[in-house]
Amino acid sequence: MAAPMPEGLPSTHVEKKNKKQKKPSKRYWEKTENPDQRKPGEEQSKDAQKQNKARPINRPLKRKKFEGPEQEKLDPFPGVAPVPKERLQKFKRGEKYKWHPDTLRKLKTAIKFSETVSDLAQDQAARFDLLLPEDAGFLEGDEDEDTCTISQDDIADAVDITSGSKYFNLDLSQFGPYRLDYSKNGRHLLLGGKRGHVACIDWHSKDLMCEVNVMETVNDVKWLHTEAMFAVAQKRWLYIYDSKGVELHCIKKFNDVLKMQFLPYHFLLATASATGFLQYLDVSVGKEIAAICTKMGRLDVMAQNPYNAVIHLGHPNGTVSLWSPKQKEPLVKLLCHRGAVRSLAVDKTGTYMVTSGLDRKLKVYDIRTFKHLHSCFLPAGASCLSLSQRGLLSVATGDVVQVYRDVCGSNPLTKPYMAHRLRGQVCGVAYCPFEDVLGIGHGQGFTSMIVPGAGEPNFDALDANPYRSAKQRQEWEVKALLEKVQPDLIVLDPGELGKIDKATFEQRHKRKVESLGFDPLGKEPFKPRAKKKGRSSAGAVERRKKKVAYEDQRDVIRESVQEKMEKQKELEEKAKAMELEKKTALDRFRK
Amino acid sequence: MAASSSLQKTTLSEGSALAADEEELPSEDEPAISASEDEEGSDDERKHNKLLEAISSMGGRKRRKQNERSEASLQVSEFFVNAEGTGEKVMLSDLLGTVEKTPGTSNKTKKQLRKLENSKDTLDLPLNKQETEKIQRAIAFEKTAQEVALWKTIVMNNQRAEQMVFPLNQEPLGPKRVEQIVAGWKAETPLEQEIFKLLHNNSQPVIDPILTPVEEASLKAMSLEEAKIRRAELQKARALQSYYEAKAKREKKIKSKKYSRVKKKKKRKEFLKQFEEMVKTNPQAALEELQKIEMSRMKERMSLKHQNKSKWAKAKAIMARYDLSARKAMQEQLQINKDLTQKIVVHSDDEHESKGKELETVPDFVNDPEPVIDSVNPWMKGQLTCEEPEVSCVTPEDAQTAEEENKEEELLGEFERKRRLRQADEEALTPAEEKTEHASEVVGEDVVEIADNDENDDKEEEEVEEEEEEEEVDVSEFNTLFKLMRREKTQEAPEVGEELLEGPNRIRNMEDLEVLDEGLEPQPIVAPSLPQTAVVEATSEPTNKKSKEIDLNEVLTKEANVIKVPFLPTVVEEEHDEQISIIKEAFAGDDVISDFIKDKRKQEAAGKPKDVDLTLPGWGEWGGVGLKPSRWKRSRFTVKVAPPPPRQDQKLPDVIISETRDASIGRHQVSYVPFPFANTDQFESCIRTPIGHTWNTHSAVQKMTKPNVVTTMGAIIEPIVKEDFIKEKTTEKTGTKHSSERKQRRSRKRKNKLENE
């Protein structure tokens, strides 16, 4: 009987039979384990289990002791590897539904399914987070050394050659201060000189793609969805060129454009003009989606919120207004400065906004609550602001560019992280996505500055791949067009789409109630049962009604009270634990 | 005839009314009977009858005539087909009149019959057609409902299933084995079923297949080449097995004694090796082996098998005087006895010794390691140190006996030869007495050569006991072997003992103490990750605090210092008065703040709903130019609108948040709560996770966007078949029956209650 017996079956019976019978020939698939050898182990495990039942806390230790050398080694880490809670938290989407005891079964199954699925999605996303291996770091000075005193040349010398080559200057003194824009994947650079010089460069390889002089004032330049097209806001109209420098369109509806922003997921080019118009151009169909007269005068300060694609405009009266294409009035108006707003920047997560004004102040706002977090005074005033993907703020004051760390937070700015002096007045600053590089356009040309820790180290290759081939770009373009987000969906809270439209729901419900004469969703009023023997008197009925009245409110109150009690208990326990911790062994002699 | 007449008479006597009836409705048979009765020729009566008939026919009342031939039938016909004598009431007493008289019948039955006679209940009419049909329909409905109820669970499951794949019950793809296709035979008897259950539980092949399921699974997981290699391996293994089996068979048939002896020796050696290993690896099995030996010893001590009490032994004892071989055989047997009864571990000795030791020094158990530590391992029970000296005391003899046997034998053999030579020389000279003496001396020690001869001599007797003895001899040999091993151990043991003794002393080392503490403290080595991290945090926190403190100081001092920023203006938190004045100067013209406040007021005002004034000027009082309705009237007739919900920017003075709702997004939103959801929270929690590729891993997306119904291309989807799904018909039926019965009972109870009330 070499074959292992299943435990539930009467083994003795079979064994007897086999003794009488001829010994069965040993088959190669049969296990060579001896049942006798196996038994003690099983017994042990059973014993261990019993003990575990009695004292579950000591379990691992006991088990260790009982394990004989002949026993199979147990997997010390059974099951799937756990995911750290913080990482899970990172991928959490919304709150779970709290169960009510009286939910329908069908509903239960539906909710359960959705919950399991969302848990799975969260878990897997957290697991796959491992695949983002790159880490970001910052420049760290020696003792008594400020990082802002380290010059770019030193950094370029210290780092490896490829990184060092990212610090360079383009000497373009002829065509005035330069505006610049990096493409979404950070590979291509677009330069627009005030006096008409437009150039696009593959700046990794320093490969000049095209260079033209439009023979007109250039107010702003912007890449469109790919590096194949870019928009140039010229003196009168808006022009679109391709990467070879060929003029594709001249859009005369968009006149006197001063600043532009491109919303990549909506394929919208938002322009702010000197006449106070905010216009949206759908690049995918070539149509003007909206033209909003802001009635705020000249619009030369503009930024976009990458989180919800809302356009922020800065105005001469010190206000910042937030716009979406479908609403003719500003979503929000903030009074930020006592002077005109000079520059604006919004952080990647859409939580913070940094503004600078003519009153030489730099202010940080939380745009979820529209509350002012902190401000600081810059003696020279900031003309250009830019926030990097990892939250580094670059401030251009005159011919100096300062970079600040930890801007987005409650602690105020103290001292710059880095600084760099340029030869001319700074006209535009922009961080290169996925690179530790800050591009600065100034009067004497363009400077690419190394700012360690500025860029996001991990890029999503399906979204913005710096190393993509032409084929990949084409495919991406098709996919992106298919997934184009409608301009209707630009609202302050993008999560609103996942919510029920309460206003229309209420309207409809109202109409229904009117037509039916009663509320179909409303709770039926409590009707006390008729009772005999005088117990159904009016007073008794009222009393009975009172018992049930406001039951739902009572439930809410009960819950809140319970929560409060629990919190208090926890606090008390914590306090107790703290006290116990504080007590030393010698405290018992104190009196 | 007489009986019938008497019957008639009784009926007549029973009731006059009946008799009258009879008279009025004379049956057809009556005349015949009467005719037969009065065969003598009483024409008078007949005539009288005829007359009566004629009179009655002349009467105004038309009587029913029953000229149809009647038949006895159970059913009441609608068409006047009556059994004979329907008019008359047949009384029970008519039928059972004789019962009263018969002596055998019991009083009880008589009583019952009497009661029956007295009862005047009539039978119910059969229900009319509609009623019966209604009942039938109800029964039919119940039946079909039961039948349909069988499907309920299946339908429910299908409805609830996340995904349905049609056609249902698809056969797995891939080639099938012949055994699977030709599945003619089934396990029927309980024994067969049991066996099959076993086989199935162990996933053993039922019919000797080409590959076992496990192999098949592994093959599936392999590529073709790997599979080929594996197959070859398996073939080889099978061939080897067959060779092995054949060899075993052949060996089993060999009957040579010499061979068996050699084999036995080999076995012994192997056993020795095994035992040594066992002691190291599996002490429990070794213990068992020891116990076996002990058992045999006990048996031997109980029986007198190998002593000189048996018949054979007595005969041998007689023969021994004269026969060398007999003597040898006897001695052999005694040796066996000795070996068998040899005690392996002598406890008394070591007890004595330990007692002696105790007197001299500190008790030994102080130095002993704790017995609890390894309760499972009997070899480590701590008495090892004590046992050893005892063993060493015992062993020399055994060892000599065992090991030197061969040497002795060799030596003896040599002596023998020399003696024989001498004897041969001396025989001629010395008398016979001396010879015998010599022989007696030699016999005890001579073993090898003569043994065979002896055995040949008393084959008959020995062969009977041979097999049993062989076993016992084996055991005894094992005993000696064991002793041998013991002796070897004694050489090793002291070292171990020293170690054990040194153990407690070593603990005094600080490091060791720590190690011990670790061992004692309940610190799970494989601790869950959380506590560890907590510990790490706990350790890291204080350092952090320290560093923070230091940092703070540094920062403070640094703040005091002027930041050495090249070409940079310092950052200042508060505005200086000068600057304020400068700014004031610069923006004296446009008061930004007041403008903003005005704007905000305007917005707020626009957002507020206005009261509706319903006053009609001139109504109820004088109207005209310059006349205003009274204040009371205005307040009376203005409809106040409920104040709107508080503005979002109510508490933010420097912010204006537009309250106008953007309708554009409303088109993309869900405007009502879909069916199974009761409130918005439920629905919103259900759709909170995006299902696109952009936000999820591939597998998650696949799971989330799994289609509800999948159909295989080209497959015919046939309607669901009962046999495939409702297998446990009987059990389910009983279940439903029970439930239906319960329901019925409940409903009945309810009815009863209602009726009672």
Side-chain angles (χ1 to χ4, degrees):
Chain A
M1 263 319 284
M5 298 288 301
E7 286 183 350
L9 286 156
S11 57
T12 53
H13 167 71
V14 182
E15 270 176 355
K16 259 184 198 170
K17 234 188 237 166
N18 273 334
K19 264 184 191 172
K20 275 178 191 173
Q21 281 172 1
K22 213 174 86 183
K23 214 179 181 185
S25 57
K26 205 178 176 194
R27 293 312 197 120
Y28 56 90
W29 60 71
E30 282 170 346
K31 284 171 194 169
T32 48
E33 261 181 17
N34 244 340
D36 294 2
Q37 283 182 342
R38 243 175 124 195
K39 266 176 191 169
E42 281 167 24
E43 280 167 13
Q44 276 174 27
S45 65
K46 270 177 195 171
D47 286 357
Q49 275 175 3
K50 272 179 198 170
Q51 279 172 353
N52 287 340
K53 266 176 198 172
R55 284 179 298 174
I57 307 154
N58 290 343
R59 189 180 169 184
L61 181 76
K62 282 273 154 167
R63 240 221 194 128
K64 269 251 140 171
K65 268 194 173 175
F66 273 94
E67 270 174 10
E70 80 276 5
Q71 241 181 347
E72 269 185 53
K73 273 192 179 176
L74 290 171
D75 186 5
F77 308 106
V80 274
V83 187
K85 266 186 185 173
E86 301 87 56
R87 210 184 288 164
L88 270 180
Q89 193 64 29
K90 191 175 153 192
F91 294 96
K92 196 183 173 193
R93 294 183 193 279
E95 288 294 320
K96 269 188 183 176
Y97 175 68
K98 276 174 192 167
W99 286 100
H100 264 285
D102 51 343
T103 32
L104 296 171
R105 188 157 62 175
K106 193 163 191 182
L107 175 62
K108 251 185 205 169
T109 50
I111 292 174
K112 251 181 205 167
F113 176 70
S114 85
E115 223 128 83
T116 50
V117 157
S118 58
D119 280 352
L120 174 93
Q122 186 189 355
D123 185 69
Q124 285 203 336
R127 274 176 204 289
F128 279 60
D129 201 26
L130 265 183
L131 302 179
L132 308 177
E134 300 300 326
D135 222 4
F138 289 109
L139 197 65
E140 294 203 9
D142 299 331
E143 284 178 40
D144 312 326
E145 190 188 19
D146 272 321
T147 48
C148 57
T149 56
I150 301 168
S151 71
Q152 281 295 312
D153 292 314
D154 290 344
I155 294 170
D157 284 341
V159 295
D160 56 308
I161 300 169
T162 36
S163 303
S165 69
K166 283 169 190 169
Y167 167 61
F168 62 92
N169 280 301
L170 296 180
D171 216 356
L172 307 162
S173 55
Q174 242 182 323
F175 298 106
Y178 276 86
R179 298 274 308 162
L180 76 154
D181 186 38
Y182 283 103
S183 66
K184 200 186 156 199
N185 57 11
R187 186 75 199 228
H188 301 277
L189 173 67
L190 183 62
L191 288 175
K194 189 84 187 167
R195 285 168 221 160
H197 176 219
V198 175
C200 42
I201 308 159
D202 181 353
W203 74 272
H204 276 217
S205 58
K206 317 275 189 317
D207 189 10
L208 186 68
M209 290 161 76
C210 78
E211 191 174 28
V212 284
N213 199 323
V214 296
M215 308 303 280
E216 231 178 355
T217 314
V218 169
N219 288 325
D220 201 2
V221 284
K222 209 83 196 164
W223 285 111
L224 298 188
H225 56 285
T226 61
E227 55 270 19
M229 277 194 285
F230 58 88
V232 179
Q234 291 179 19
K235 191 188 173 191
R236 291 196 67 187
W237 294 309
L238 179 69
Y239 288 81
I240 288 176
Y241 297 87
D242 78 348
S243 58
K244 297 278 184 308
V246 179
E247 182 188 317
L248 298 177
H249 301 287
C250 166
I251 304 164
K252 290 189 176 169
K253 260 192 176 176
F254 291 68
N255 56 336
D256 304 322
V257 174
L258 292 177
K259 285 279 150 66
M260 291 188 290
Q261 283 292 333
F262 184 70
L263 311 176
Y265 298 104
H266 303 75
F267 286 86
L268 289 180
L269 183 72
T271 61
S273 67
T275 52
F277 270 88
L278 172 66
Q279 284 166 298
Y280 287 87
L281 175 72
D282 192 330
V283 170
S284 62
V285 289
K287 264 187 188 170
E288 190 193 39
I289 292 293
I292 303 161
C293 180
T294 58
K295 297 171 198 161
M296 304 266 214
R298 189 182 156 85
L299 305 173
D300 59 349
V301 181
M302 191 185 199
Q304 66 160 308
N305 185 344
Y307 172 63
N308 53 14
V310 166
I311 292 291
H312 293 227
L313 293 176
H315 304 289
N317 61 356
T319 56
V320 170
S321 53
L322 276 60
W323 299 85
S324 87
K326 287 292 166 181
Q327 206 156 340
K328 295 295 171 195
E329 58 173 11
L331 302 170
V332 178
K333 232 176 176 183
L334 281 150
L335 181 66
C336 294
H337 293 278
R338 301 186 66 177
V341 178
R342 284 183 80 185
S343 184
L344 259 178
V346 183
D347 108 272
K348 196 183 82 174
T349 58
T351 30
Y352 301 104
M353 177 176 76
V354 184
T355 61
S356 70
L358 266 182
D359 56 356
R360 292 185 275 173
K361 270 186 179 175
L362 186 80
K363 287 188 171 181
V364 180
Y365 279 85
D366 185 342
I367 35 178
R368 292 170 298 183
T369 54
F370 304 111
K371 268 178 186 161
H372 172 230
L373 289 178
H374 51 86
S375 67
C376 64
F377 186 76
L378 296 172
S383 60
C384 291
L385 295 173
S386 175
L387 273 166
S388 86
Q389 283 175 323
R390 283 179 48 79
L392 292 187
L393 174 71
S394 66
V395 178
T397 53
D399 60 346
V400 175
V401 172
Q402 306 170 31
V403 179
Y404 288 92
R405 239 172 88 178
D406 304 328
V407 180
C408 307
S410 52
N411 42 340
L413 298 180
T414 47
K415 55 166 190 167
Y417 166 59
M418 286 182 80
H420 188 60
R421 185 182 284 273
L422 301 145
R423 272 177 291 158
Q425 197 74 15
V426 176
C427 183
V429 283
Y431 280 101
C432 177
F434 310 113
E435 291 283 355
D436 288 348
V437 164
L438 174 67
I440 305 158
H442 49 84
Q444 296 298 313
F446 170 80
T447 301
S448 172
M449 176 185 164
I450 298 173
V451 182
E456 177 67 44
N458 299 297
F459 57 85
D460 181 356
L462 292 176
D463 185 42
N465 185 358
Y467 307 107
R468 70 185 171 194
S469 60
K471 191 82 189 163
Q472 278 173 323
R473 196 199 70 212
Q474 285 162 7
E475 276 185 13
W476 169 84
E477 202 171 349
V478 172
K479 268 180 196 160
L481 279 169
L482 286 173
E483 286 175 358
K484 181 186 139 184
V485 185
Q486 288 303 312
D488 295 355
L489 301 179
I490 299 176
V491 279
L492 272 178
D493 178 18
E496 204 163 305
L497 193 64
K499 284 173 186 163
I500 281 179
D501 186 12
K502 270 182 184 160
T504 50
F505 175 66
E506 271 159 19
Q507 271 183 3
R508 196 177 291 180
H509 183 66
K510 219 177 183 179
R511 241 178 285 149
K512 212 173 188 181
V513 170
E514 274 168 14
S515 65
L516 287 170
F518 69 94
D519 187 359
L521 292 180
K523 237 184 174 180
E524 260 183 53
F526 174 68
K527 259 186 200 170
R529 248 196 302 176
K531 285 187 174 177
K532 285 172 185 174
K533 295 176 185 172
R535 282 184 295 170
S536 223
S537 68
V541 165
E542 276 311 303
R543 244 174 280 138
R544 260 193 279 161
K545 268 186 187 171
K546 246 185 195 174
K547 271 183 203 167
V548 198
Y550 308 114
E551 195 54 47
D552 39 356
Q553 284 183 27
R554 280 182 202 175
D555 280 339
V556 172
I557 291 163
R558 234 172 267 148
E559 266 176 29
S560 65
V561 166
Q562 209 175 348
E563 267 177 30
K564 261 185 199 171
M565 296 277 278
E566 274 169 11
K567 263 187 191 173
Q568 215 168 359
K569 248 188 191 175
E570 266 180 30
L571 280 175
E572 276 173 11
E573 274 176 15
K574 261 188 189 173
K576 256 188 190 174
M578 288 284 280
E579 268 182 24
L580 278 176
E581 273 181 17
K582 274 180 189 172
K583 265 188 185 173
T584 58
L586 295 173
D587 275 346
R588 67 188 71 174
F589 302 113
R590 193 176 285 167
K591 211 176 182 183
Chain B
M1 279 292 158
S4 64
S5 65
S6 68
L7 224 166
Q8 265 188 348
K9 269 174 197 169
T10 48
T11 50
L12 281 171
S13 66
E14 281 290 322
S16 57
L18 229 169
D21 233 58
E22 205 180 336
E23 276 178 336
E24 280 178 6
L25 302 166
S27 60
E28 285 242 305
D29 290 353
E30 193 90 318
I33 291 165
S34 58
S36 59
E37 212 172 19
D38 315 309
E39 238 176 316
E40 292 91 15
S42 58
D43 286 8
D44 289 340
E45 256 190 359
R46 203 187 298 162
K47 275 173 189 170
H48 177 71
N49 274 347
K50 265 192 180 173
L51 181 76
L52 275 176
E53 246 180 294
I55 291 163
S56 65
S57 65
M58 276 166 69
R61 215 161 25 122
K62 210 186 177 184
R63 285 178 194 282
R64 267 192 241 153
K65 259 210 167 174
Q66 298 166 336
N67 26 1
E68 282 120 332
R69 187 180 167 79
S70 63
E71 278 172 329
S73 63
L74 281 170
Q75 283 178 331
V76 179
S77 169
E78 292 175 30
F79 307 106
F80 302 112
V81 183
N82 289 343
E84 192 189 334
T86 37
E88 326 158 3
K89 272 188 180 169
V90 181
M91 305 307 288
L92 246 181
S93 51
D94 299 346
L95 299 172
L96 299 166
T98 49
V99 173
E100 296 266 298
K101 288 154 198 167
T102 45
T105 51
S106 61
N107 281 332
K108 207 182 175 186
T109 45
K110 276 176 197 170
K111 236 184 198 175
Q112 280 174 343
L113 283 172
R114 245 172 265 147
K115 258 187 195 171
L116 260 178
E117 264 179 66
N118 294 335
S119 67
K120 283 171 183 175
D121 289 345
T122 51
L123 281 176
D124 292 336
L125 271 175
L127 287 171
N128 59 10
K129 203 179 168 188
Q130 283 82 5
E131 289 281 307
T132 49
E133 271 177 359
K134 200 176 171 185
I135 290 162
Q136 278 167 2
R137 259 183 278 132
I139 290 162
F141 172 77
E142 216 166 80
K143 259 189 183 175
T144 41
Q146 250 180 36
E147 231 167 77
V148 171
L150 287 181
W151 289 99
K152 198 179 172 185
T153 50
I154 292 157
V155 172
M156 286 280 276
N157 283 336
N158 285 357
Q159 278 174 351
R160 266 184 228 153
E162 281 165 24
Q163 191 175 43
M164 291 289 293
V165 182
F166 290 107
L168 299 164
N169 274 3
Q170 248 177 331
E171 285 180 7
L173 291 171
K176 274 182 275 181
R177 269 180 275 118
V178 181
E179 292 89 6
Q180 282 180 335
I181 299 162
V182 188
W185 186 72
K186 274 182 184 175
E188 280 162 353
T189 62
L191 179 65
E192 281 170 0
Q193 277 167 358
E194 200 177 327
I195 289 163
F196 271 76
K197 208 167 142 196
L198 265 178
L199 286 174
H200 283 302
N201 281 347
N202 294 336
S203 71
Q204 292 294 331
V206 177
I207 310 158
D208 223 0
I210 304 152
L211 296 167
T212 58
V214 183
E215 285 168 7
E216 216 172 39
S218 62
L219 265 186
K220 261 184 195 169
M222 278 189 276
S223 68
L224 185 67
E225 279 182 31
E226 276 180 318
K228 273 181 182 168
I229 292 162
R230 172 99 179 108
R231 194 171 209 130
E233 270 175 21
L234 288 174
Q235 274 173 351
K236 199 185 170 188
R238 225 169 294 142
L240 281 175
Q241 190 191 337
S242 68
Y243 296 154
Y244 181 76
E245 276 171 15
K247 197 186 167 192
K249 257 182 200 170
R250 224 185 318 120
E251 278 178 353
K252 213 180 177 185
K253 275 182 186 171
I254 296 170
K255 277 173 183 162
S256 154
K257 258 180 194 162
K258 210 166 193 180
Y259 172 77
S260 67
R261 208 172 294 141
V262 170
K263 208 180 167 189
K264 222 186 281 166
K265 236 180 200 175
K266 217 194 223 171
K267 227 184 186 177
R268 218 186 305 152
K269 269 182 191 169
E270 265 175 29
F271 176 79
L272 191 69
K273 262 187 196 170
Q274 259 186 16
F275 193 79
E276 272 175 325
E277 267 177 35
M278 226 189 271
V279 168
K280 278 170 198 164
T281 56
N282 194 358
Q284 209 152 24
L287 246 189
E288 271 174 33
E289 212 62 48
L290 273 179
Q291 270 173 354
K292 253 189 210 167
I293 293 163
E294 184 66 23
M295 202 55 199
S296 70
R297 185 180 153 264
M298 275 156 74
K299 268 185 188 168
E300 180 56 30
R301 272 162 64 84
M302 265 155 61
S303 72
L304 301 169
K305 204 174 181 185
H306 298 293
Q307 284 171 3
N308 41 11
K309 289 285 151 69
S310 70
K311 219 178 184 181
W312 175 84
K314 276 173 186 168
K316 278 280 137 120
I318 294 161
M319 290 288 288
R321 275 204 167 181
Y322 316 103
D323 197 352
L324 243 173
S325 61
R327 208 184 273 185
K328 227 208 89 197
M330 268 192 69
Q331 262 174 348
E332 237 174 52
Q333 223 191 1
L334 284 174
Q335 186 61 42
I336 288 167
N337 180 32
K338 217 180 177 183
D339 283 345
L340 277 171
T341 50
Q342 195 97 53
K343 207 173 187 186
I344 305 148
V345 183
V346 187
H347 282 284
S348 57
D349 285 17
D350 45 1
E351 273 173 13
H352 279 294
E353 283 189 3
S354 64
K355 272 177 188 173
K357 272 186 183 174
E358 271 173 21
L359 289 171
E360 287 169 13
T361 54
V362 192
D364 229 12
F365 58 82
V366 175
N367 290 331
D368 282 352
E370 278 185 21
V372 193
I373 287 175
D374 219 335
S375 60
V376 182
N377 196 345
W379 301 92
M380 303 295 283
K381 267 189 175 169
Q383 289 188 339
L384 246 177
T385 49
C386 307
E387 277 178 50
E388 280 139 21
E390 163 263 310
V391 172
S392 62
C393 285
V394 176
T395 40
E397 303 164 10
D398 298 320
Q400 278 170 9
T401 50
E403 222 178 77
E404 290 175 15
E405 258 184 348
N406 296 326
K407 285 177 188 175
E408 271 184 309
E409 279 166 13
E410 282 173 14
L411 282 171
L412 283 173
E414 279 179 14
F415 280 128
E416 261 291 305
R417 256 172 265 149
K418 281 174 188 174
R419 268 178 201 166
R420 269 181 200 167
L421 283 173
R422 247 183 274 155
Q423 275 174 15
D425 292 343
E426 288 173 358
E427 249 182 323
L429 307 172
T430 50
E433 287 179 12
E434 284 184 11
K435 238 191 213 176
T436 50
E437 278 179 16
H438 262 284
S440 64
E441 279 176 11
V442 172
V443 160
E445 293 153 345
D446 198 348
V447 188
V448 187
E449 293 179 353
I450 316 161
D452 286 346
N453 302 331
D454 293 337
E455 276 177 9
N456 289 329
D457 290 336
D458 19 70
K459 249 182 189 175
E460 296 157 26
E461 285 176 309
E462 271 195 68
E463 270 185 352
V464 186
E465 294 175 335
E466 211 176 27
E467 286 179 5
E468 294 173 80
E469 272 185 0
E470 267 182 9
E471 283 179 13
E472 284 156 356
V473 165
D474 278 358
V475 171
S476 64
E477 277 166 354
F478 287 152
N479 274 358
T480 53
L481 285 171
F482 181 71
K483 276 166 210 158
L484 251 174
M485 281 186 46
R486 265 297 172 78
R487 209 188 50 175
E488 285 171 9
K489 231 191 183 178
T490 46
Q491 292 162 1
E492 295 167 10
E495 297 167 8
V496 180
E498 277 171 4
E499 279 177 7
L500 285 170
L501 285 168
E502 278 173 10
N505 294 333
R506 260 195 232 153
I507 290 172
R508 275 155 213 166
N509 251 349
M510 276 303 285
E511 292 170 6
D512 287 11
L513 261 175
E514 281 172 6
V515 170
L516 260 188
D517 282 356
E518 274 179 9
L520 290 169
E521 276 168 14
Q523 274 189 346
I525 295 163
V526 191
S529 58
L530 254 179
Q532 271 189 351
T533 52
V535 166
V536 169
E537 280 168 11
T539 51
S540 64
E541 266 177 8
T543 55
N544 275 350
K545 272 179 189 170
K546 274 180 192 173
S547 62
K548 263 183 189 171
E549 279 171 5
I550 293 159
D551 269 3
L552 254 178
N553 284 329
E554 279 176 3
V555 169
L556 283 172
T557 48
K558 266 185 185 168
E559 272 197 348
N561 292 339
V562 179
I563 306 165
K564 288 178 186 173
V565 183
F567 44 77
L568 275 186
T570 50
V571 175
V572 186
E573 270 292 306
E574 263 118 85
E575 298 172 20
H576 298 290
D577 293 335
E578 296 171 30
Q579 287 162 346
I580 293 169
S581 62
I582 291 166
I583 291 159
K584 270 188 180 169
E585 273 174 37
F587 306 109
D590 38 18
D591 192 354
V592 175
I593 296 167
S594 65
D595 280 352
F596 189 80
I597 289 168
K598 265 182 206 166
D599 196 9
K600 188 166 180 177
R601 291 249 172 82
K602 222 194 257 176
Q603 286 265 341
E604 278 172 3
K608 262 184 194 167
K610 279 166 192 168
D611 295 350
V612 186
D613 196 357
L614 295 173
T615 45
L616 290 173
W619 195 74
E621 57 188 4
W622 287 108
V625 183
L627 283 173
K628 272 189 176 178
S630 68
R631 197 195 278 166
W632 172 83
K633 212 163 206 183
R634 256 187 285 156
S635 66
R636 173 78 179 75
F637 286 99
T638 45
V639 178
K640 276 182 183 169
V641 184
R647 284 179 66 91
Q648 283 176 295
D649 55 9
Q650 202 181 18
K651 286 173 185 174
L652 300 165
D654 55 348
V655 181
I656 304 169
I657 298 173
S658 146
E659 292 282 311
T660 51
R661 209 178 67 81
D662 185 11
S664 61
I665 196 173
R667 277 185 288 156
H668 303 277
Q669 279 176 309
V670 180
S671 61
Y672 63 95
V673 183
F675 159 54
F677 300 101
N679 54 40
T680 50
D681 288 351
Q682 288 170 356
F683 180 63
E684 278 165 13
S685 81
C686 260
I687 60 166
R688 69 176 202 270
T689 315
I691 54 170
H693 264 111
T694 318
W695 300 276
N696 292 307
T697 57
H698 183 67
S699 59
V701 170
Q702 276 193 329
K703 181 131 203 232
M704 282 194 239
T705 57
K706 206 163 58 171
N708 283 334
V709 174
V710 176
T711 53
T712 30
M713 269 254 257
I716 299 163
I717 300 167
E718 274 160 355
I720 200 163
V721 186
K722 194 175 181 181
E723 282 74 46
D724 293 350
F725 292 93
I726 306 167
K727 276 160 195 166
E728 294 155 50
K729 221 176 176 183
T730 52
T731 54
E732 277 198 40
K733 257 193 176 175
T734 52
T736 48
K737 255 186 192 175
H738 280 299
S739 61
S740 64
E741 274 174 11
R742 249 176 266 146
K743 270 180 196 172
Q744 280 176 358
R745 245 177 270 153
R746 253 180 246 156
S747 61
R748 239 179 275 153
K749 268 184 191 172
R750 253 178 245 155
K751 270 181 194 173
N752 288 339
K753 266 189 186 174
L754 284 173
E755 281 167 12
N756 290 337
E757 281 174 9

